[in-house]
Amino acid sequence: MTELLASEHASPTAARQQATLTANAVAVLRAERAGLDALEQALQNPNGLGRAFAQAVALISTLPGRLVVTGIGKSGHIARKVQATLASTGTPALFVHPAEASHGDLGMVQDGDAVLAFSNSGETTELGDIAAHTRRCKLPLLAVTSRATSTLATAADIALTLPSMPEACPMGLAPTTSTIMQLAVGDALAVALLQQRGFTANDFGNFHPGGRLGMRLRTVQDLMRTGNSLPIGQENTPMRDVIVEMTCKALGCIGILDHNGKLAGLITDGDLRRALDLDLTITQAKDVMNRTPLTIGPDVFAADALRLMNERDRPITSLFVLNAEGKPLGVVHVHDLLRAGVG
């Protein structure tokens, strides 16, 4: 609170300094945005970058091996991030440091692989050995560079030539706009390949099993209760037995099956309370059950199941999981979802 009050009464000098810093930051964002705008225009040129991009996607998507991503310096950091994005979205990829490649790691680049090299200038000396290795072994070489006439671009089978735009650095030296464009074209490649492969959210979940994201991408069948944990009865089951089954399974509901084993209805604690005026010694499950209960399929994301439970006027705590024939596979409870970190 003290710091907040102090900022409200900042001196004119401090205010000018803050305004200058803000202006400088905005100038950086504008320069980098201009680079992205230029990149967007270049990608829409069907005879320039757009054509090279389409060729790159076609080549990478049909590789029998892996995409080896490389670069050094700031371009190397971008290359590492692009490799990680590719690998997590269905494109087998690994990063090889060009200096380590010259000291034995070229052995990681095998038949069937292709190399994607990042270099803004296209004249990075350290890339020489790995580029020469692709030529010697007849492996595809793709280059991301800002100079179409550079050594790397000339040697490459496919050159993704980025627009030549001023760096956001006031001295024009620190890689800023150029690395933003490298990152953007790398992300564009990864997403285009994802779509080309038909990569799904389920596939994404398989590659991200850890952490909160992994929990949210788990499906209902990963968390549902099955077998003897299922509260099950028949349409002609006496309500006395229904109450016993509901109490033993402690899920606040029971699924009622027809003679074909399909879910015919559901009885919840609320249904049970509303049936207290009936003679439970002669009342059967079919007389009390809800014949149109809300159910879910096994491949639905757990996060969607939780949303489905909560979006109703009266939130529900359990969902029966049915197969395509309408037969119960399991039941998922809101507590199971919350314990798994889905919420």
Side-chain angles (χ1 to χ4, degrees):
M1 179 62 72
T2 302
E3 293 177 355
L4 178 61
L5 292 174
S7 66
E8 292 177 349
H9 301 283
S11 67
T13 300
R16 285 194 298 271
Q17 290 175 338
Q18 179 175 330
T20 299
L21 290 172
T22 300
N24 290 342
V26 169
V28 171
L29 297 181
R30 285 175 176 168
E32 294 185 343
R33 186 182 300 116
L36 292 176
D37 288 341
L39 179 60
E40 179 182 346
Q41 292 297 319
L43 274 168
Q44 295 180 64
N45 180 357
N47 297 316
L49 181 57
R51 180 181 180 182
F53 184 87
Q55 291 174 337
V57 171
L59 187 151
I60 297 169
S61 65
T62 57
L63 274 180
R66 305 151 305 170
L67 184 63
V68 178
V69 189
T70 189
I72 202 165
K74 305 301 185 294
S75 293
H77 294 306
I78 297 298
R80 285 183 183 274
K81 188 275 176 188
V82 170
Q83 175 271 322
T85 301
L86 287 163
S88 70
T89 53
T91 297
L94 73 155
F95 176 83
V96 173
H97 194 285
E100 297 297 337
S102 300
H103 294 274
D105 279 3
L106 280 178
M108 299 170 65
V109 187
Q110 304 172 356
D111 289 343
D113 293 345
V115 172
L116 174 63
F118 285 81
S119 170
N120 185 43
S121 68
E123 301 294 345
T124 305
T125 304
E126 292 86 350
L127 289 173
D129 288 340
I130 195 168
H133 181 73
T134 65
R135 306 301 79 187
R136 183 169 56 252
C137 297
K138 294 181 172 55
L139 303 179
L141 173 63
L142 300 87
V144 177
T145 178
S146 295
R147 294 183 56 211
T149 59
S150 64
T151 302
L152 180 63
T154 303
D157 298 288
I158 301 173
L160 300 169
T161 306
L162 307 181
S164 180
M165 298 293 290
E167 299 286 8
C169 166
M171 296 176 291
L173 299 176
T176 45
T177 305
S178 60
T179 49
I180 285 290
M181 289 192 292
Q182 287 180 341
L183 181 60
V185 80
D187 284 345
L189 270 176
V191 172
L193 288 162
L194 174 155
Q195 294 169 323
Q196 183 90 345
R197 296 177 188 278
F199 195 79
T200 67
N202 278 332
D203 298 322
F204 195 83
N206 290 334
F207 290 163
H208 298 77
R212 185 175 178 83
L213 176 60
M215 292 300 102
R216 291 183 62 83
L217 290 174
R218 295 178 72 178
T219 59
V220 167
Q221 64 184 342
D222 296 326
L223 300 173
M224 67 184 183
R225 304 189 191 192
T226 60
N228 292 332
S229 298
L230 283 181
I232 292 294
Q234 304 297 321
E235 290 182 289
N236 59 356
T237 299
M239 284 302 297
R240 293 175 303 177
D241 296 336
V242 166
I243 294 172
V244 171
E245 177 74 358
M246 288 177 65
T247 303
C248 291
K249 301 302 171 61
L251 287 176
C253 67
I254 181 173
I256 306 302
L257 308 184
D258 64 15
H259 63 282
N260 293 317
K262 297 180 180 181
L263 188 72
L266 190 72
I267 298 176
T268 66
D269 286 336
D271 298 320
L272 189 58
R273 286 192 295 272
R274 286 185 287 273
L276 289 178
D277 291 337
L278 303 175
D279 185 350
L280 299 184
T281 61
I282 60 173
T283 303
Q284 296 181 339
K286 63 183 179 183
D287 301 321
V288 177
M289 68 184 187
N290 171 13
R291 296 180 180 274
T292 57
L294 184 65
T295 60
I296 201 167
D299 296 326
V300 176
F301 288 124
D304 291 333
L306 183 62
R307 176 185 52 77
L308 195 61
M309 291 177 175
N310 289 326
E311 70 182 6
R312 298 169 65 86
D313 293 336
R314 293 183 177 180
I316 58 178
T317 58
S318 295
L319 283 171
F320 263 77
V321 184
L322 308 183
N323 64 15
E325 298 175 348
K327 297 181 178 180
L329 297 173
V331 62
V332 62
H333 193 276
V334 63
H335 292 165
D336 300 328
L337 301 176
L338 295 177
R339 275 195 296 268
V342 174

